C-alpha cells in the first residue's frame, strides 16, 4: 500500500510541474508548450540536486514504461478523418517517410562529420 | 448513471486492449504489432463494428488524455540520467539535433505546401518527428489537428524504425553516436527501440536525441510556421 501511495505522489510531481509550466506559458504568452517548460524546469532542479532523483524515480519509471497507452485515445481520433486518407491525404504518408529519411541522413552525417573533424579531446 | 458507466467501460476497454497488445508485441515484436499501433487499430475496428461515435468513446478516453501534458515532464528523468553522455558529445549533439530538427520541420512544411494542402495540414505535419505528447502540445499551439498529428508521428516512428538501419548504412553513417542521433531525432521512441538493437550507445543517444529534439522542435516550429506559412 505504501508503495502505491509513494508512486502516486511521485506521479503527482509531474502534474505539479506541468501546471507550473502552463502557468508560466500563459503568464508570458510564450509559444512553447507549457509541458516543455515544466520538463525543463524539472530537469534543472534535478541537475541542481534540489530534487533528488531517488525521491521521484520509482513512480516516474512506472509511468514511462507504458507511456504509449496515453497516446491511444487521441490516436483513435483518426476515426473521424478517414476521408483525409481516402483523398489526396494519402500522399502525406510517402511525404512523411521521405522527410524521415532526410532527417536520419542529414542529422547522422553532420553528427559524424562533427565527431571526426571537431575537437575530440573528450574521446 | 449512463455517463459514469460509459466512461468506466471505455477506460477499462482501452487499458485491457493496450496490455493485450503489449503481450502480443512481446511474443511477435514487429513495427506493426507495436502496442500503440495495435491498440489504436483494434479500438477503431471495435468502434466501427458497434457504430460507436468517437465522442462517446472519449467519455472514457478523456481521463487518459489528462496525462498527455504531465507525461512530457517525465522525460526529464531519462534526460537527467544521460547528462554525462550529453556533456561528452555536446558539440556533435548540438550540430546534429539542430540540423535534423530543421530538416524535419522544413521538409514537412515544404511538401505539405507543395502538394497544396490547407493550412491545418501544414501546421500538423511540422512537429511529426518528435515524441507524441510533445508533438501534440506543439501542434495545439500552432493550430493543427491533434488526431492527425498523432498519426503522422506514428508514421514517422514506424517508418524510421523500419528503414533507419538501412538509411544509415546507405549513407555510410557508421559512428554509433551519429546513428543513434539520426534515428532518435527522426523517429522518437519507436526509432529508439530499433536503435537499441543496433547497440547500447546507439540506443542511449537515440533516447536523449528524442528528448532534446522535442525541446528544439517546440521552439523552431512556431518560428518556421511564422516565416513559411
Amino acid at each position: 500500500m505504501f508503495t502505491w501511495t509513494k508512486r502516486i505522489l511521485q506521479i503527482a510531481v509531474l502534474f505539479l510541474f506541468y501546471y507550473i509550466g502552463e502557468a508560466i506559458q500563459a503568464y508570458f504568452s510564450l509559444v512553447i508548450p507549457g509541458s516543455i517548460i515544466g520538463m525543463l524546469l524539472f530537469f534543472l532542479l534535478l541537475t541542481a540536486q534540489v530534487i533528488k532523483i531517488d525521491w521521484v524515480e520509482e513512480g516516474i519509471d512506472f509511468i514511462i514504461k507504458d507511456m504509449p497507452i496515453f497516446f491511444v485515445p487521441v490516436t483513435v481520433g483518426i476515426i473521424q478523418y478517414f476521408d483525409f486518407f481516402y483523398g489526396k491525404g494519402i500522399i502525406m504518408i510517402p511525404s512523411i517517410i521521405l522527410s524521415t529519411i532526410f532527417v536520419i541522413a542529414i542529422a547522422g552525417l553532420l553528427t559524424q562529420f562533427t565527431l571526426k573533424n571537431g575537437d575530440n579531446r573528450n574521446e | 448513471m449512463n455517463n459514469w458507466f460509459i466512461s468506466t467501460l471505455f477506460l477499462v476497454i482501452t487499458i485491457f486492449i493496450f496490455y493485450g497488445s503489449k503481450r502480443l508485441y512481446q511474443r511477435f515484436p514487429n513495427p506493426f504489432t507495436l502496442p500503440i499501433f495495435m491498440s489504436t487499430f483494434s479500438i477503431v475496428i471495435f468502434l466501427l463494428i458497434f457504430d460507436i461515435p468517437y465522442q462517446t468513446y472519449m467519455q472514457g478516453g478523456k481521463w487518459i488524455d489528462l496525462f498527455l501534458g504531465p507525461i512530457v515532464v517525465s522525460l526529464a528523468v531519462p534526460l537527467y540520467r544521460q547528462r554525462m553522455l550529453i556533456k561528452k558529445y555536446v558539440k556533435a549533439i548540438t550540430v546534429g539535433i539542430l540540423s535534423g530538427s530543421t530538416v524535419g520541420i522544413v521538409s514537412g512544411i515544404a511538401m505539405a505546401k507543395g502538394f497544396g494542402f490547407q493550412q491545418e495540414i501544414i501546421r500538423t505535419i511540422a512537429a511529426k518527428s518528435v515524441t507524441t505528447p510533445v508533438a501534440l502540445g506543439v501542434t495545439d499551439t500552432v493550430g493543427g489537428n491533434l488526431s492527425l498529428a498523432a498519426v503522422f508521428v506514428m508514421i514517422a516512428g514506424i517508418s524510421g524504425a523500419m528503414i533507419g538501419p538501412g538509411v544509415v548504412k546507405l549513407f555510410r553513417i557508421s559512428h554509433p553516436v551519429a546513428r543513434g542521433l539520426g534515428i532518435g531525432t527522426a523517429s522518437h521512441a519507436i526509432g529508439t527501440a530499433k536503435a537499441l538493437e543496433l547497440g547500447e550507445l546507439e540506443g542511449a543517444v537515440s533516447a536523449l536525441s528524442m528528448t532534446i529534439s522535442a525541446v528544439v522542435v517546440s521552439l523552431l516550429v512556431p518560428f518556421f510556421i511564422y516565416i513559411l506559412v
Side-chain angles (χ1 to χ4, degrees):
Chain A
M1 205 53 222
F2 177 69
T3 320
W4 280 99
T5 316
K6 193 170 98 183
R7 283 183 183 176
I8 289 167
L9 286 174
Q10 289 170 329
I11 292 167
V13 171
L14 301 179
F15 280 80
L16 177 72
F17 277 95
Y18 170 64
Y19 289 118
I20 294 173
E22 288 281 288
I24 294 174
Q25 190 229 10
Y27 187 79
F28 295 102
S29 316
L30 302 174
V31 285
I32 332 161
S35 55
I36 286 283
I37 299 171
M39 190 267 268
L40 290 173
L41 198 61
F42 186 37
F43 177 72
L44 282 177
L45 293 179
L46 283 170
T47 311
Q49 311 276 323
V50 175
I51 295 173
K52 295 261 189 282
I53 186 81
D54 39 314
W55 297 349
V56 290
E57 62 187 346
E58 195 189 323
I60 293 176
D61 282 336
F62 173 77
I63 206 170
I64 286 181
K65 184 166 56 78
D66 288 321
M67 196 192 278
I69 195 173
F70 300 111
F71 316 154
V72 172
V74 66
T75 315
V76 169
I78 193 63
I79 198 167
Q80 307 167 98
Y81 303 101
F82 281 156
D83 296 355
F84 176 76
F85 289 104
Y86 285 145
K88 81 170 183 184
I90 196 80
I91 53 174
M92 275 324 244
I93 298 176
S95 305
I96 292 169
I97 297 175
L98 195 61
S99 171
T100 301
I101 295 173
F102 291 159
V103 176
I104 299 175
I106 292 177
L109 285 172
L110 286 177
T111 304
Q112 185 158 279
F113 180 82
T114 313
L115 286 166
K116 288 187 174 158
N117 297 278
D119 175 6
N120 283 348
R121 71 198 140 90
N122 287 332
E123 279 183 73
Chain B
M1 142 22 312
N2 252 340
N3 269 352
W4 179 86
F5 176 73
I6 289 170
S7 285
T8 314
L9 179 74
F10 287 117
L11 193 59
V12 170
I13 286 176
T14 306
I15 293 169
F16 185 78
I17 289 183
F18 180 79
Y19 283 98
S21 307
K22 207 179 147 184
R23 294 188 68 167
L24 182 79
Y25 181 73
Q26 281 159 353
R27 199 160 302 173
F28 307 102
N30 174 289
F32 289 104
T33 55
L34 275 168
I36 179 63
F37 184 76
M38 269 320 259
S39 312
T40 304
F41 185 75
S42 313
I43 294 171
V44 164
I45 297 292
F46 175 88
L47 297 182
L48 288 175
I49 288 174
F50 294 99
D51 202 18
I52 301 164
Y54 180 62
Q55 284 69 18
T56 310
Y57 168 73
M58 280 313 278
Q59 289 186 24
K62 70 179 177 201
W63 299 104
I64 299 178
D65 270 7
L66 286 179
F67 283 79
L68 284 171
I71 201 80
V72 173
V73 178
S74 76
L75 296 172
V77 168
L79 193 64
Y80 170 77
R81 291 190 181 128
Q82 308 286 8
R83 66 197 182 286
M84 292 309 165
L85 204 56
I86 300 172
K87 228 173 165 178
K88 186 170 175 190
Y89 297 109
V90 65
K91 202 169 154 195
I93 287 173
T94 309
V95 171
I97 292 179
L98 276 178
S99 60
S101 301
T102 306
V103 167
I105 299 166
V106 173
S107 64
I109 293 177
M111 282 191 270
K113 255 187 116 166
F115 289 123
F117 282 98
Q118 78 251 40
Q119 278 279 330
E120 192 190 21
I121 304 303
I122 301 171
R123 288 163 186 269
T124 302
I125 199 179
K128 57 111 184 45
S129 304
V130 302
T131 184
T132 309
V134 176
L136 294 173
V138 175
T139 306
D140 199 26
T141 318
V142 297
N145 179 305
L146 296 189
S147 288
L148 278 178
V151 172
F152 290 175
V153 169
M154 192 158 65
I155 298 170
I158 293 177
S159 64
M162 290 175 72
I163 57 181
V167 174
V168 293
K169 205 173 280 172
L170 181 70
F171 288 94
R172 299 209 172 81
I173 301 165
S174 54
H175 197 293
V177 171
R179 291 178 161 201
L181 190 139
I183 296 174
T185 304
S187 303
H188 48 93
I190 302 178
T192 297
K194 194 65 185 179
L196 263 169
E197 290 175 22
L198 299 177
E200 204 180 317
L201 183 56
E202 281 91 336
V205 174
S206 180
L208 72 86
S209 304
M210 128 184 172
T211 309
I212 300 173
S213 72
V215 176
V216 171
V217 164
S218 73
L219 292 166
L220 292 181
V221 166
F223 170 73
F224 282 116
I225 291 278
Y226 181 75
I227 59 167
L228 296 176
V229 180

